[in-house]
Amino acid sequence: SLDLGPGWHQLANPYFSAMDMSLATVRYLGTTMDLASADAADIMRQTFWTYDRADNSYDLIAPFLAIGGTTIEPWEGFWVRVEKACTLTLPRPGTLVSAGARAAAGEADGWVARLCARGTGGQDSDNFFGVSDALAQTAPLASPPPVADGVELSFRGAAGGDRLAAQFTPAGSVSARWQMQIEGVPGEQVEVWCANPDAIPSDYAVTLSDPATGEQVSLRTGRYRTTLRDDESVRPLDLRLTRTGGALTLTSLTAQPTRAGGAEVSFTLSAAARCTVKVLNIAGRTVRVLESDRQRLETGRQQAATAGLGQGEGLVMDAGDPIGIGPDQRKTEHSLTGLRQRMGGEPGDGSLA
């Protein structure tokens, strides 16, 4: 048993076998309780962080949250955070798991995805987000003290508070938006990706944005990469979660003439999608690309402008990474022909005016 005061503590497994941390207990003011109860009472956090020497990062141990691991290996060190002075009793190896502990450590509701970050100094492997009533109600999951010369990805707590390793929204939420940051060595290249994109349901769009550059990446298939400036060690990011409601559909494709002799092309998206807008001639050959692989985050009415069109030219909308279509990367395409006639021009040979 270890008497601990408030703050972060670095401890270790003193046994020759692994410890099942679902069996650890906390004693506070004469009352003994399990980790989940101690966390709910704001006495001690129910999570532990072990060090991964190969990646220069930390791994989450959270037996009652159904994310991360459940055991700590022999002689392995770990971080734990205490909120109120208490006594932590580490479980002896071989202790039988009670039925109550086994039920409490069951699978989480909803869904959980894991974010990773990498830099020249290592990797940050355990950051989580998703939709879960149970996880949204738990205490904030604080990130452990950072490793030296490593890279760290974290959610930014409210009002400049703790760096957090997870954020969840309750079931039924239509959208959620979280501020994040990636910390590294000035001048180094860093990247962020989702380690288990298949865990994201098909009716959700997940987009990571860089406010400094305007770059937007769908974490279902893409990776965010950037190079920190020579005077920069922290880059703010935004993570947006949007429920799209199902498969992507593109409807109401129209074109209206403009005073400049071109056309304003409008269409409606039922979900966020990466879009490519092309102008084709009568033979189906591309004569101009208006936008390529552009991430459109908002649903509803969209616009794209083009120059004048010749007879038989058309517009094709290509959703190369549509949220809601699924992992087979199918495309939804629509075309609009004969815009020159509608705009009062003369038939042409298919080239742009």
Side-chain angles (χ1 to χ4, degrees), residues 2-3 37 39 61 70 78 80 114-115 123 172 182 196 200 207 212 229 252 255 262 264 266 285 288 319 321 337 349:
L2 303 167
D3 294 329
S37 300
D39 189 272
I61 306 297
T70 60
F78 59 92
V80 61
R114 182 165 62 94
L115 290 178
Q123 185 166 306
I182 186 168
N196 58 335
I200 304 172
T207 305
R229 299 188 305 271
S252 304
E264 181 180 81
S266 300
R285 292 190 296 270
R288 179 169 296 183
D321 180 25
T337 59
D349 60 0

Side-chain angles (χ1 to χ4, degrees), residues 279-287 310-316 335-338 348-351:
V279 178
L280 310 178
N281 63 16
I282 192 67
R285 292 190 296 270
T286 300
V287 293
Q311 183 182 23
E313 291 179 340
L315 177 85
V316 174
S335 62
L336 191 64
T337 59
D349 60 0
S351 61

Side-chain angles (χ1 to χ4, degrees), residues 65-335:
L65 297 183
I67 56 176
T70 60
T71 61
I72 296 179
E73 295 303 311
W75 306 104
E76 187 172 23
F78 59 92
W79 285 104
V80 61
R81 177 164 166 165
V82 176
E83 305 297 340
K84 301 173 183 176
C86 62
T87 300
L88 171 65
T89 299
L90 300 177
R92 291 183 177 275
T95 306
L96 296 178
V97 180
S98 68
R102 187 178 295 108
E107 295 185 1
D109 63 322
W111 59 270
V112 176
R114 182 165 62 94
L115 290 178
C116 298
R118 180 185 293 123
T120 56
Q123 185 166 306
D124 184 356
S125 302
D126 278 5
N127 301 274
F128 303 89
F129 72 94
V131 175
S132 168
D133 286 332
L135 293 174
Q137 295 172 7
T138 59
L141 181 57
S143 296
V147 298
D149 299 323
V151 64
E152 182 176 24
L153 181 68
S154 62
F155 295 88
R156 297 162 65 184
D162 289 330
R163 296 170 295 104
L164 304 178
Q167 287 281 27
F168 298 96
T169 189
S173 300
V174 177
S175 64
R177 186 172 184 174
W178 299 296
Q179 292 183 324
M180 302 191 71
Q181 64 184 30
I182 186 168
E183 301 178 63
V185 178
E188 79 169 331
Q189 292 183 338
V190 294
E191 64 176 336
V192 179
W193 71 96
C194 180
N196 58 335
D198 290 344
I200 304 172
S202 62
D203 58 343
Y204 280 89
V206 180
T207 305
L208 186 69
S209 303
D210 184 340
T213 64
E215 182 180 359
Q216 299 175 335
V217 177
S218 169
L219 292 181
R220 185 181 296 279
T221 57
R223 290 189 175 212
Y224 163 79
R225 296 181 176 91
T226 193
T227 299
L228 299 177
R229 299 188 305 271
D230 291 340
D231 61 347
E232 178 187 35
S233 60
V234 179
R235 176 70 62 87
L237 301 170
D238 284 335
L239 181 65
R240 179 181 294 185
L241 179 67
T242 306
R243 188 165 191 173
T244 61
L248 173 69
T249 58
L250 189 155
T251 57
S252 304
L253 180 61
T254 61
Q256 297 294 328
T258 65
R259 293 183 178 180
E264 181 180 81
V265 179
S266 300
F267 54 95
T268 299
L269 291 176
S270 65
R274 303 190 73 88
C275 297
T276 296
V277 183
K278 301 177 182 178
V279 178
L280 310 178
N281 63 16
I282 192 67
R285 292 190 296 270
T286 300
V287 293
R288 179 169 296 183
V289 178
L290 305 183
E291 61 185 52
S292 178
D293 200 33
R294 176 182 173 184
Q295 179 73 59
R296 290 182 177 265
L297 298 174
E298 304 296 333
T299 61
R301 202 67 176 155
Q302 315 286 329
Q303 284 83 36
T306 181
L309 301 173
Q311 183 182 23
E313 291 179 340
L315 177 85
V316 174
M317 286 303 305
D318 180 343
D321 180 25
I323 302 302
I325 292 298
D328 58 355
Q329 304 299 309
R330 288 178 292 169
K331 300 177 180 180
T332 179
E333 298 184 354
H334 288 251
S335 62

